[in-house]
Each structure stands twice: as structure tokens, then as C-alpha cells.
Amino acid sequence: MVLFKMNSSSVKVIPLGGIDEIGKNITAIEYKDEIIVIDCGAGFPDEEMYGVDLVIPDISYLLDNKDKVKGFFITHGHEDHIGALPYVLKQLNAPVYGTKLTLGIIENKLKEHNIISECNLNSVKNREIIDVGTLKVEFIRNTHSISDSCCIAVHTPEGIILHTGDFKIDYTPIDGLVMDLERISKLGEEGVLLLMADSTNVERKGHSMSERTIGETFNRIFDKADGRIIVATFASNIHRMQQIADASISRGRKIVFSGRSMENISNVAMGLGYLNIPEDCIINVDDMKNYSNNEITIITTGSQGEPMAALARIAFSNHRKISIEKDDLFIISASPIPGNDKMVSKVINQLFKKGAEVIYKDLEDVHVSGHAYQEELKLIHTLVHPKYFMPVHGEYRHLKQHGDLAHKLGLNNENIFKLDTGEVLELEKDKANVCGKVRTGKVFVDGLGVGDVGNIVLRDRRALAEDGMLTVVVTIEKETYSIASGPDIITRGFVYVKESEELIKKVKDIARDELEKCLDNKIVEWYVLKTSMRKAIEKFLYEKTKRRPNIIPIIMEV
Amino acid sequence: MVLFKMNSSSVKVIPLGGIDEIGKNITAIEYKDEIIVIDCGAGFPDEEMYGVDLVIPDISYLLDNKDKVKGFFITHGHEDHIGALPYVLKQLNAPVYGTKLTLGIIENKLKEHNIISECNLNSVKNREIIDVGTLKVEFIRNTHSISDSCCIAVHTPEGIILHTGDFKIDYTPIDGLVMDLERISKLGEEGVLLLMADSTNVERKGHSMSERTIGETFNRIFDKADGRIIVATFASNIHRMQQIADASISRGRKIVFSGRSMENISNVAMGLGYLNIPEDCIINVDDMKNYSNNEITIITTGSQGEPMAALARIAFSNHRKISIEKDDLFIISASPIPGNDKMVSKVINQLFKKGAEVIYKDLEDVHVSGHAYQEELKLIHTLVHPKYFMPVHGEYRHLKQHGDLAHKLGLNNENIFKLDTGEVLELEKDKANVCGKVRTGKVFVDGLGVGDVGNIVLRDRRALAEDGMLTVVVTIEKETYSIASGPDIITRGFVYVKESEELIKKVKDIARDELEKCLDNKIVEWYVLKTSMRKAIEKFLYEKTKRRPNIIPIIMEV
């Protein structure tokens, strides 16, 4: 389904996700018979999406143009940029390009999904240009809360498109590799047709703090610790891990990695040389007993309070190997992502109740953001001074503020494009306009099912969650059209049956009366019988309880 | 149920709610045959409490000691301090004491519940002492985000118990009525046995800003507005309303109140003289058409993004009377309460998409907190210098930090009591200890039902929400023990039935096979038949889908 008519020699930019939402980042850039795809991320279900494990983008447009797709070009290894790859590659197996660490993390993921052997992964370096035909795709190093992160510049016959990826400007990164501002500045000088830039922190004034400042806080806090130190952080934040490890090792502490993703990613990062910890400084969780508590630092998952992750398991005493001990000092080195505050709070409360000390963002500077604040964004806009601008990676409020920021820096409002997901921005050297919309959307992953849970199923789950359900079953004798058995009532999630025997009895009576009334009137269509019963029960229950359980009438014929 | 043995001449302090939680504030203070109750608040359901509208405290202890209860003494008119009153007074009709505005708001509530005529409401003034027998209860003015708020001092034979209520220290309150620090200081001088103090903002350094600073921001923002101004705020924040009204009137704007609670509380507040707006400056929503847009300010509910409140209705174009117009300026004059961030964000995004301007806390200082920061708490602790201290009104993390703050100010840790809800603190002149625990808990209000939804019902709702349900019905011929009809399968919230015909057909086969196997083996106990079917289906579905829908087997007999 393509709803647009385009000039065949123009370049099209189509965000298939990541616009007006946090997560699910994926953008197609098309020129004639070539499409390159930047990122392929997953989104996370919001509280309305009952039972959904993961949200991935609808890639119908790519599947309809399968032959054009030259590859997936990945800016960095965060879930919201790579999480959909295993699902998408199963349907559209194009080459994947990314830096070494990014690919290492992707590889891990593809192995878990058992599709690694069929995939074509290609490692790239800073300033490397991949030639896919007419389009040339250049990777340019930036700084972010994960190592080896990149901007991507797409060189097209109509001009350069620069996508910042997720970034901040850290002048003192832990690995010493600062953002390649020189190259970006050079591109600006050559002339950039379109800038697409990270909008996450556009509402924050000033400049984000360097990751390095956290290290100073760790040093100060570690000096006062008498027992074990347990730090929860994002598994992908290698630089954070490095700083925790450095502060530990210099104080004679060994490192234990806890939690599946923490173990996986630290392994990948050490294997590839992104995380430098002497081998004898890492111990297994089972070997902790050979060390005294002030010789141990545990780096663990669960910084978002996730109930199944290691930190929450430790707090609520259901971790298989780690339980809280005297003088334990917990550090939650992360900010709660919006929506996770309550879960994080539950874990903090529980740790305090168990007598542990806990340090978190409200008390100390134990976290910095990985996304650019206003002054950093201004620098990029100023260096790049593009002809057109499209804010990306943000909810609409962020896109709006980012558009306003670009405007304040001198860009005309007509040159700023706040797109909807799926909208097609058509670009020529001196022209840009939204020329149509392609199919996009959310595909839900629930258990093993991809796409078999949709809005109707979710609507039912929501209704069931609110007021539960009530099933009324009755058997009808098909020759005489009389009730052979029932009505029987079964409820779940509605009321305590014990306390409501009266109510349930009344529902039975109502169902029987309604049914008999219909049958007496020679109404025998099942649909009508069911609807009549349902409506009569609904009305009665709403009057009595002001609730609307999902009422499921079942008629059996014998 | 009383699980403690106490010295009959001691004073007991029993928090029945509000400890280790935000909300549901209620504390009993008991001496011999007298009990006074401070506050009677409601809590709000968390995301796990599917379908629950309101949470109220379990007051079994008060009901068991009905004759002792001398009254409810209410510190201020916020929901988390008065919300349970209509439910509690129905079971235990004791006199209610509070300041004029507090009672006005309570009255409104009791009218809605049709119990106002039976209730005994008593208005009190600053420094007024209510003599209930041996215990004397004194109201002392404080400052908070609602007018007419109080601390409560209970004079007992063993000493003074001072409960701060919710408070901040605002030296420039809008009504000019500063917190009665003199009286508090005097009590400190006389000697306070126990201080109970608000812990909400103990994690925030420094001093909260005065409510008056918001007025300055409003003035600046209002000067730039060309169209209507629509401000969403808490209906109970009379001073905020006053400042919005003042800024509007001085710019020739009329005021429209929108949203049920906004209309109710503004009426009460104006009637009682707490909100001063000339009559001709207030117009009805229907009269807006007689004014140009720059002559209108709308003050509305919905600052938490609540989907059914006025602001969200306006944003999503389903408000009956107000739709977005050109140059509308929205101000969200509130902070999202933890857990509400996403809802608020949805509304902001939608308003921007509709082309309106929106100003919110991340962009401008349009909100201040009503709870004391660290320096304010230190002032109170220093003035009161109590013998014992009990932090209240907070999650455990807040109680912990507040205890640490008191300790840093010089109090011994043995004199600091971080209680659990229901724990009984026994106090004598020179002695304090936790001596037991009474029954407490959460009572769920769902529709008209109070307490008929409990943990089993919630567990079922949670399971239904996750993976939906699958009902398998079969009719058995009771003489031959053979299947007369079915099995039939009905699902809700599980999978798209259309796309899963194969799966459902297989479930039918499995159910039939299992049932026939049992019947062939002369197993005829329904319980066993049902369990066998359920288990077989569960196993199959989990293998196929990794989901666990609630499986409900029904057997009918004919």
C-alpha cells in the first residue's frame, strides 16, 4: 500500500517509527530503486497493552519493496534501535551494518533467536562509507550512553541527509573518543540538505553532564562503604560499568556481574575490548564466599525496578544466590524511565526495610543522561545549518520544542518538518514537501505470537481487567426448545462468589426468565437468545454494582 | 482484634494508614477510654489494583472500640485526608472537627453520599482546643497547597503529641496567614513528647518556593497571550485559583470554571470567603461566546491527564462545550504525581498536535509543591525538639530519610520510630516502645461495592488482563456418561479467533480426547474431569504460544 505519488528522482525519507513516541526507531531513506534503513528498534508496551511483551514496527512498506532494501544501518546497540531486528530479519533478510560493539550486541540477540547463521553482519568504522549503489552511507562517531555509537550521513544525488542517532556531546568520554564534530562541521560546510536530530532532552536547559562526573561521585561514595557495594545500572552502559569497575579495583574490590543481560553484554564488551577489567578482578557469584564483604562489588540489572530482574529479586529475597547482608550499600545508577517510578520506589522501600543503605538519583548524582540538552542541540544545529530539519526520537511535545528551537536558531518554519509516522518527506535540492503516507503501525509480540494480538484482543483484556467476567451457560433441548440444563454461572475477577451468593442466584433467575420468555415467543435464533440474556444481566448488574463485567452467554444444544 | 498488652495509663499512637504509602492517612490516638482520630483519607489504587476506584483504610480497630471514639479531627481538605470519611462515618458516626473550608469540602462530599443529615460537623479556629475528656485537641494553623490547613496538637496526661499534618513553610502565603510558628515554638518550649511530621519532600534539598512566585510567572505568561488562557490545576488549590483569577481580572479577562470538582470547590471557597472574585468576573461556559477569546480564562480540572477530566476531553475533542481554538494557551499548573507522567504527556502531545501552545512544569515554573523541603523540616524539628519522633506521610524511603534527618539534628535513634501501619506506639512521660499491632489494611471500593473485591478477585483480573481467557464447555449425558454436545470453545482477550482457527480446533480435540479418556476409565467426578481438561489445554497452549490464558472448563449435565 503506497498512498503517494512522487517525483521519481527525489529522495524520500520515511520514518516508520520513533516519531511521536519513545522507542521503535526505524527510518527508511529511498532513492529510485534503493532503500536504506536506519535502525530497527523495538518499543515497550504501555500500561494499556495488557500482556504484550514487546512492540515492533509494521514494516509492510519495506516488505512491499523488498528488492530495493540494501541494508539496515544501525546507529547504536540500544533496544529501541536494534530490538526489532530478530523479528524483521526473519521477514526481510538484508545486510546489517554497524560498529563493532553494536554488532556484538546484535549478534548475541540473533543467536538467542537462532537466526545468526542466516544473517549478514558487517562491521564499520568511524567515517567509513558504505556504497550501496547511488546512495552512500557514512558512519560518524558520536557520544551516547552506550559505546561505539554513531551518527549516519546519507549522501544522495539531491544532497546530504544527516541523522544524529541518539547522542550527547561529552567532551571527556571515558574511552577518550569524542564525538567527531570535525566531520560534522565539514558536512555542514559542504551543505546538508536535511538534518534529523535526537529530541529526547530538548526540554532541558543547559548542557548535560559528562559521564565522567559519575566516576567522581562513585569514588566519594565507595570510600565510605564498609560492606558490599551493589550497583544497579543499564547493562548497555559500558562506560558506567568501566567506572564502577575502576572505582572498585582501586579499592581492592572484585567485580561480580549479576543478571542475564549484564553478564551477556559485559562479556561481549570485554571480548571486543570495550570494557577493560583484569581477568583476576572478576569473580563468579558463587565465589563471593571466599572474599570478605568489603572486597566485593556487584554490578547488576534491575535499575528500573523490573520485578523479575536481579535487583528486585535481591530486595524481595527471591534471588537464588544473593541475599542482603549487613552493611550492604546499594546504588541505583539510573533514572526511572517515565512510567517506572513506582516500581523503582518499591525496590528502594524494600531495600531500606531490609536495613540496607541505598543511594539513588534523588540523593546523589549517580546518573547522567545520554541525550543532548538544549545547548548541545544548538551546537549541532549551528555546525550543520541544514536546509531542512526533521526532529526525531521523541514524543510530539519534544518534536514541537525541537522545531521551535531550530526556528529560534534561524530556520524558517516551512523548512521544519514534524512528521507523523509513515509520512513521506520528498526532498530535492531546493524543495521539500510531505507527499503522502505509507502503512505503519504497532505489531505486538506476546509470548511466541507476533501480530496475533491486536486491538480487539486488547480491548477484551482491558474490559476483563476492569470488572472481570461472568459466563452464563445453558443447555437447550433442540427438539422441544426447552431448557435442559442450567443456567449455570461462572465468574472470574468480578466479586467474591461467597459473599455474593444472593447476587449470583438472582443472575441465574434473570437469565432463565429471559430465555424462557424468548422461547415462549418462539424466538429460537441463538444470537438473539444470547443477546437478550446478556443485556438483561448487564442491566441488572450495573444497577446493583455499577460494574460492567464481560458477560459471555453460552448456549449448548442437545 | 488487639494483639498488644498495654500499660493502662499510657498513651497509644496507632497509624491506621499513611505509613509506608502515599495516601489513606488516618491515625488513632488513644488514652484509657478515649480515642481521637486524626484524618480519614482515601488512597488511590495502584496499577495492580485492576478496576478498583478507591482504597479506604480497614477501621476494624475503631469499630471494635466504637464507644471510645470521640471524633475525627481533620487537618485539611485533601482527598488523602478526608476521602474515606463518607464510608467510615456510615459505620462509625462520630463528630467531625475541622476548619471552615475543610468542613465545607467535607460537607459537599457527604451530600453526594446522602449522609449529611446524620453527620455532626464542628468548625474550629486556629488555636482552638477541643476538650473530649482527658484528651484535649488543639488546631494550629499551617501553610499547605490548600487553604485553612492545620497541625494538630493532642494534649495528653503523658505529654503533648504534635502532628504537623501536611505542610510547607510559606512566609508569603496568598491569604497572608502564615503558619503559626509562634504557637509551635511555645509548645516546643513546654516540651513535646512526640512529633509526627510530613515526610513527602524529605528527599529535596533546600526550601520550597512560595506559592506567590507562581503568580509572578502567571503575570509574565498572561501578558503574552493573544487568545484564551486555559489553566489546569488541582481543584483544591484555592490560592492557585486566586492567583489565576487575579492575573486574569487585571488583564480584563473573565473566569470560567470547568470540571465538576473545580466548580464544586470554587463555589464552596467563594461562599466561605476563601476565594475572592467579583461576581461579574465569573461567567458560565455557555456565555463564552459573548466574549472575545482574549477576554477569557478557563480554570479546569485534569492537570494529572486523567482521561475523563475536562482537560483531556478538550484535548481529544470530546468535551461537550469547549473545543480548541486559534491562539489558545494551555498552562498545566501542576506536577504529575508519580505514575501519572504518561497520561499527562499524552494530553500535552495532543494539545500541541491540535496547534495549541502549552506551558508545563518542564518549561516554566508554573507549579510549587505544598510539602516542606529539608530546611523547612529542620526548622520544625528545631522549634519542637521533641523527645520522640515518628515520621509519617511517606513511603518507607521517605520515613527512612526523615528519621536520618532527625538523627542528624541530634535525636537518638532509639527515640525515632518508623512504624508499620497498625503498629502501636505506647508512650509515657519518659518511655516509648512499640507494644503490638492492630488489624489494618486496604478496603477496595469498586463501583457500589465496598470490600467485595479482594485479593482473589484482583488476582483473577490480573491473570485475565495478561493473557485473557478460554472457556471450554461440554455437555455430558448423565445416564451414559457420554458427550452429548461440545466441547465448544469461547475466548476473550487471548488471540484473534480468525487467525487462530487451527489452534482453537486443536484445543477442542485435546479437550474431547482428554474427556473421553477419563470417561473410558470410569472417571466421572466433575472436579477431576475439569482439572484434566484444564491441564491438558494449558500445557498445549503454553507450548504453542508461551501464554497462560485463564482456562475455565464447564461441564453441563443433561
Side-chain angles (χ1 to χ4, degrees):
Chain A
M1 183 187 62
V2 186
L3 296 176
F4 58 91
K5 171 130 190 74
M6 68 146 193
N7 184 328
S8 63
S9 71
S10 64
V11 177
K12 288 179 289 170
V13 178
I14 315 172
L16 299 171
I19 293 279
D20 192 19
E21 65 181 331
I22 299 283
K24 202 157 75 52
N25 295 286
I26 175 168
T27 305
I29 294 179
E30 180 169 357
Y31 180 77
K32 290 187 174 168
D33 55 354
E34 297 172 10
I35 292 178
I36 67 115
V37 184
I38 298 180
D39 290 332
C40 188
F44 296 94
D46 70 28
E47 56 276 31
E48 303 276 276
M49 300 178 193
Y50 292 117
V52 172
D53 300 319
L54 204 67
V55 180
I56 60 173
D58 179 338
I59 56 154
S60 304
Y61 181 74
L62 299 180
L63 293 175
D64 290 345
N65 294 279
K66 222 165 181 163
D67 296 338
K68 291 186 176 182
V69 178
K70 303 301 174 196
F72 293 92
F73 297 79
I74 310 295
T75 58
H76 64 287
H78 278 154
E79 275 304 299
D80 55 333
H81 295 257
I82 67 167
L85 266 180
Y87 304 93
V88 166
L89 289 177
K90 278 176 200 163
Q91 303 169 70
L92 173 49
N93 192 359
V96 178
Y97 300 86
T99 54
K100 217 166 58 172
L101 180 68
T102 306
L103 286 191
I105 296 171
I106 291 173
E107 219 177 286
N108 219 356
K109 217 173 229 319
L110 298 178
K111 274 182 196 154
E112 282 175 6
H113 283 258
N114 279 320
I115 54 167
I116 184 74
S117 58
E118 304 120 53
C119 295
N120 173 358
L121 305 185
N122 304 277
S123 173
V124 297
K125 290 205 173 62
N126 183 30
R127 298 202 185 182
E128 188 168 335
I129 296 181
I130 311 300
D131 195 335
V132 302
T134 315
L135 296 176
K136 323 257 180 266
V137 187
E138 177 178 4
F139 285 76
I140 302 167
R141 186 175 57 229
N142 69 23
T143 38
H144 186 41
S145 46
I146 185 169
S147 311
D148 234 10
S149 174
C150 287
C151 307
I152 285 178
V154 185
H155 300 265
T156 83
E158 300 297 318
I160 299 168
I161 296 171
L162 178 62
H163 190 305
T164 64
D166 292 6
F167 81 104
K168 67 186 287 184
I169 299 177
D170 191 338
Y171 296 105
T172 54
I174 302 306
D175 56 11
L177 298 169
V178 294
M179 184 162 174
D180 192 350
L181 294 171
E182 281 174 44
R183 181 62 189 145
I184 287 167
S185 166
K186 187 78 192 333
L187 291 175
E189 212 181 306
E190 288 174 23
V192 167
L193 183 63
L194 174 73
L195 172 67
M196 303 169 75
D198 180 359
S199 311
T200 315
N201 275 342
V202 68
E203 291 175 355
R204 299 201 191 170
K205 293 187 173 73
H207 201 293
S208 70
M209 299 290 288
S210 168
E211 174 68 26
R212 198 173 288 270
T213 59
I214 306 299
E216 292 156 20
T217 313
F218 283 150
N219 280 325
R220 187 164 44 75
I221 295 172
F222 279 33
D223 274 338
K224 288 187 238 158
D226 294 324
R228 297 185 306 186
I229 296 173
I230 301 105
V231 191
T233 190
F234 298 105
S236 58
N237 199 329
I238 317 288
H239 288 160
R240 192 70 49 87
M241 278 193 225
Q242 184 71 57
Q243 296 198 90
I244 299 164
D246 290 349
S248 300
I249 293 164
S250 68
R251 284 162 185 79
R253 287 176 183 266
K254 305 289 181 191
I255 312 294
V256 179
F257 289 105
S258 157
R260 197 170 59 97
S261 61
M262 194 60 82
E263 292 168 41
N264 280 344
I265 297 193
S266 64
N267 266 330
V268 170
M270 284 189 290
L272 297 172
Y274 288 86
L275 180 62
N276 301 303
I277 307 179
E279 238 174 71
D280 66 337
C281 290
I282 299 179
I283 60 171
N284 193 286
V285 64
D286 294 316
D287 296 330
M288 287 200 297
K289 59 182 181 300
N290 304 326
Y291 297 84
S292 63
N293 280 351
N294 64 5
E295 292 171 335
I296 296 171
T297 295
I298 304 172
I299 306 180
T300 177
T301 54
S303 65
Q304 294 300 308
E306 308 92 318
M308 303 306 285
L311 182 66
R313 286 181 183 273
I314 297 171
F316 288 93
S317 302
N318 50 25
H319 193 287
R320 281 187 313 124
K321 311 222 166 175
I322 305 172
S323 51
I324 294 176
E325 298 187 9
K326 193 172 166 298
D327 291 330
D328 272 356
L329 171 65
F330 286 80
I331 301 174
I332 300 180
S333 181
S335 283
I337 293 168
N340 292 350
D341 312 64
K342 284 186 170 184
M343 293 200 301
V344 174
S345 225
K346 267 186 198 166
V347 171
I348 293 173
N349 289 331
Q350 187 62 20
L351 290 170
F352 274 136
K353 281 182 205 171
K354 292 269 174 73
E357 270 306 315
V358 193
I359 293 175
Y360 42 100
K361 186 127 195 323
D362 303 86
L363 306 180
E364 294 264 14
D365 293 332
V366 285
H367 181 64
V368 292
S369 173
H371 296 273
Y373 287 19
Q374 286 174 6
E375 297 308 311
E376 292 153 87
L377 295 173
K378 287 181 195 168
L379 172 59
I380 293 304
H381 281 267
T382 303
L383 287 181
V384 176
H385 49 81
K387 181 167 277 176
Y388 301 106
F389 171 56
M390 185 196 299
V392 297
H393 207 279
E395 297 178 25
Y396 194 83
R397 59 194 270 187
H398 305 115
L399 308 183
K400 161 76 165 79
Q401 300 297 334
H402 204 173
D404 288 355
L405 180 140
H407 178 65
K408 276 180 203 153
L409 293 171
L411 209 57
N412 284 333
N413 277 327
E414 306 82 69
N415 291 18
I416 298 171
F417 292 90
K418 299 189 287 284
L419 260 58
D420 252 2
T421 301
E423 279 192 325
V424 180
L425 179 67
E426 188 179 23
L427 290 164
E428 292 173 57
K429 280 190 185 65
D430 294 300
K431 220 169 81 181
N433 65 293
V434 176
C435 68
K437 196 163 186 174
V438 305
R439 173 172 164 177
T440 55
K442 297 177 163 67
V443 175
F444 299 133
V445 180
D446 179 5
L448 294 181
V450 178
D452 67 345
V453 165
N455 288 327
I456 297 172
V457 172
L458 288 185
R459 196 198 53 199
D460 283 345
R461 287 184 185 172
R462 189 151 50 235
L464 292 166
E466 271 302 302
D467 286 326
M469 51 81 65
L470 181 148
T471 302
V472 47
V473 206
V474 61
T475 311
I476 290 180
E477 161 57 58
K478 68 183 150 195
E479 278 161 27
T480 60
Y481 280 113
S482 62
I483 297 175
S485 170
D488 279 3
I489 307 288
I490 296 98
T491 76
R492 287 283 190 285
F494 172 47
V495 283
Y496 274 140
V497 175
K498 259 195 181 167
E499 292 186 12
S500 310
E501 273 173 18
E502 251 335 271
L503 191 77
I504 298 299
K505 198 181 154 303
K506 195 86 214 296
V507 171
K508 269 191 201 176
D509 293 344
I510 286 170
R512 184 182 300 106
D513 291 352
E514 192 64 29
L515 199 59
E516 282 174 349
K517 203 171 70 188
C518 289
L519 294 174
D520 288 350
N521 289 329
K522 310 288 173 223
I523 298 170
V524 294
E525 295 83 3
W526 281 22
Y527 173 75
V528 181
L529 295 178
K530 284 186 191 176
T531 307
S532 305
M533 278 202 296
R534 181 171 55 71
K535 287 199 170 160
I537 295 171
E538 253 169 20
K539 184 162 171 285
F540 168 74
L541 288 180
Y542 189 70
E543 274 165 16
K544 277 286 185 191
T545 68
K546 287 274 177 293
R547 293 181 210 167
R548 300 186 185 284
N550 204 320
I551 294 172
I552 306 171
I554 304 174
I555 297 177
M556 306 284 285
E557 208 178 46
V558 288
Chain B
M1 181 188 61
V2 185
L3 297 176
F4 57 92
K5 173 128 188 73
M6 66 145 194
N7 183 330
S8 63
S9 71
S10 66
V11 178
K12 288 178 292 171
V13 178
I14 315 172
L16 300 171
I19 293 279
D20 193 17
E21 65 181 329
I22 299 283
K24 200 157 74 56
N25 295 285
I26 177 168
T27 306
I29 295 180
E30 180 169 357
Y31 180 77
K32 291 188 174 166
D33 55 356
E34 297 171 12
I35 291 178
I36 67 117
V37 184
I38 298 179
D39 290 332
C40 188
F44 297 93
D46 69 28
E47 56 274 34
E48 303 276 275
M49 300 176 193
Y50 292 116
V52 172
D53 300 317
L54 204 67
V55 180
I56 59 174
D58 180 337
I59 56 155
S60 303
Y61 182 73
L62 299 180
L63 293 174
D64 291 346
N65 293 279
K66 224 168 181 163
D67 296 337
K68 290 186 178 183
V69 178
K70 302 302 173 194
F72 294 93
F73 297 79
I74 309 297
T75 58
H76 65 287
H78 277 153
E79 276 302 299
D80 56 332
H81 295 257
I82 67 167
L85 265 180
Y87 304 93
V88 166
L89 289 177
K90 279 176 198 162
Q91 304 170 70
L92 173 48
N93 192 359
V96 178
Y97 300 87
T99 55
K100 220 165 54 171
L101 180 68
T102 307
L103 287 192
I105 295 170
I106 291 172
E107 223 178 282
N108 218 359
K109 222 176 222 323
L110 298 178
K111 274 182 196 156
E112 282 175 6
H113 283 258
N114 279 320
I115 55 165
I116 184 74
S117 59
E118 304 120 54
C119 295
N120 173 359
L121 306 184
N122 304 276
S123 172
V124 297
K125 290 204 172 62
N126 183 30
R127 298 203 186 181
E128 189 169 334
I129 297 180
I130 311 300
D131 194 335
V132 302
T134 314
L135 297 175
K136 323 260 181 261
V137 186
E138 179 179 4
F139 284 77
I140 301 167
R141 187 175 57 230
N142 69 23
T143 39
H144 186 41
S145 45
I146 186 169
S147 312
D148 234 10
S149 174
C150 289
C151 309
I152 285 177
V154 185
H155 301 265
T156 84
E158 300 297 319
I160 299 168
I161 297 170
L162 179 63
H163 190 304
T164 64
D166 292 7
F167 80 104
K168 68 186 286 183
I169 299 178
D170 191 337
Y171 296 106
T172 54
I174 302 306
D175 56 10
L177 298 168
V178 295
M179 185 163 173
D180 192 350
L181 295 170
E182 281 174 43
R183 181 62 190 147
I184 287 167
S185 165
K186 187 77 192 334
L187 291 174
E189 211 182 306
E190 286 175 24
V192 167
L193 182 64
L194 174 73
L195 172 67
M196 302 168 76
D198 179 0
S199 310
T200 315
N201 275 341
V202 67
E203 291 175 354
R204 298 202 192 169
K205 293 188 174 74
H207 200 293
S208 70
M209 298 291 287
S210 168
E211 174 67 28
R212 197 172 289 270
T213 59
I214 305 299
E216 291 157 19
T217 313
F218 283 149
N219 280 324
R220 187 166 43 75
I221 296 172
F222 279 34
D223 274 338
K224 288 187 236 157
D226 295 323
R228 298 186 306 186
I229 295 173
I230 301 104
V231 191
T233 190
F234 297 106
S236 58
N237 198 329
I238 318 286
H239 287 160
R240 191 69 50 88
M241 277 193 226
Q242 184 71 59
Q243 297 199 88
I244 299 164
D246 291 348
S248 300
I249 293 165
S250 68
R251 284 161 185 80
R253 287 177 183 265
K254 306 290 180 190
I255 311 294
V256 179
F257 288 106
S258 158
R260 198 171 58 97
S261 62
M262 195 58 83
E263 292 168 42
N264 280 345
I265 297 192
S266 64
N267 267 331
V268 170
M270 285 190 288
L272 297 173
Y274 288 86
L275 180 61
N276 301 304
I277 308 179
E279 239 175 67
D280 64 337
C281 290
I282 299 179
I283 61 171
N284 193 285
V285 65
D286 295 315
D287 295 330
M288 289 200 297
K289 60 181 180 302
N290 303 324
Y291 297 85
S292 63
N293 280 352
N294 64 5
E295 293 171 335
I296 296 171
T297 296
I298 302 172
I299 307 180
T300 178
T301 52
S303 65
Q304 294 301 307
E306 308 92 317
M308 303 305 286
L311 182 67
R313 285 180 184 273
I314 297 171
F316 289 94
S317 303
N318 51 24
H319 193 286
R320 281 189 311 127
K321 312 223 166 180
I322 305 173
S323 53
I324 293 176
E325 298 187 9
K326 191 172 167 294
D327 291 329
D328 273 356
L329 171 65
F330 286 80
I331 302 173
I332 301 180
S333 180
S335 284
I337 294 167
N340 293 348
D341 312 64
K342 283 187 172 183
M343 292 199 302
V344 174
S345 227
K346 269 186 198 166
V347 171
I348 293 173
N349 289 331
Q350 187 62 20
L351 289 171
F352 274 136
K353 281 183 204 171
K354 291 270 173 73
E357 271 305 316
V358 194
I359 293 175
Y360 42 98
K361 188 127 195 324
D362 303 85
L363 306 179
E364 294 265 13
D365 291 332
V366 287
H367 181 66
V368 292
S369 172
H371 296 273
Y373 287 21
Q374 285 174 5
E375 297 308 310
E376 292 153 88
L377 295 171
K378 287 180 194 167
L379 172 58
I380 292 302
H381 281 268
T382 303
L383 286 181
V384 176
H385 50 81
K387 182 167 275 177
Y388 302 107
F389 171 56
M390 183 197 299
V392 296
H393 206 279
E395 298 178 25
Y396 194 83
R397 60 193 269 186
H398 306 115
L399 308 183
K400 161 77 163 76
Q401 300 297 336
H402 205 171
D404 288 356
L405 180 140
H407 178 64
K408 276 180 202 154
L409 292 171
L411 209 59
N412 285 333
N413 278 326
E414 307 82 68
N415 291 20
I416 298 171
F417 293 91
K418 298 189 289 283
L419 259 59
D420 253 359
T421 300
E423 279 192 327
V424 180
L425 178 67
E426 188 178 25
L427 291 163
E428 293 173 55
K429 278 189 186 68
D430 295 299
K431 220 169 81 182
N433 64 295
V434 176
C435 69
K437 195 163 186 173
V438 305
R439 173 171 164 180
T440 55
K442 293 177 166 71
V443 175
F444 300 132
V445 179
D446 179 4
L448 294 181
V450 177
D452 67 344
V453 165
N455 288 328
I456 298 173
V457 172
L458 288 185
R459 194 198 55 201
D460 282 345
R461 287 184 185 171
R462 189 152 47 236
L464 291 167
E466 270 303 300
D467 286 327
M469 48 84 63
L470 182 149
T471 302
V472 47
V473 206
V474 60
T475 311
I476 292 181
E477 160 58 57
K478 66 185 152 196
E479 279 162 26
T480 60
Y481 280 112
S482 63
I483 296 174
S485 170
D488 279 2
I489 306 288
I490 296 97
T491 75
R492 287 284 189 285
F494 173 48
V495 282
Y496 273 140
V497 175
K498 261 194 179 167
E499 292 186 11
S500 310
E501 273 174 18
E502 244 345 82
L503 191 77
I504 300 298
K505 197 180 155 302
K506 196 85 214 290
V507 171
K508 269 191 204 177
D509 293 344
I510 286 169
R512 183 183 299 106
D513 292 353
E514 191 65 28
L515 199 59
E516 282 173 349
K517 203 172 70 190
C518 288
L519 293 174
D520 288 351
N521 289 327
K522 309 287 172 223
I523 298 169
V524 293
E525 294 84 3
W526 281 21
Y527 172 76
V528 180
L529 295 178
K530 284 186 191 177
T531 307
S532 305
M533 279 202 295
R534 182 170 56 70
K535 287 200 169 159
I537 296 171
E538 253 169 23
K539 183 163 171 284
F540 168 73
L541 287 180
Y542 188 71
E543 275 167 13
K544 277 285 183 192
T545 68
K546 287 276 179 291
R547 294 181 209 167
R548 299 187 187 284
N550 203 321
I551 294 173
I552 306 172
I554 304 175
I555 298 177
M556 305 284 286
E557 206 179 49
V558 287

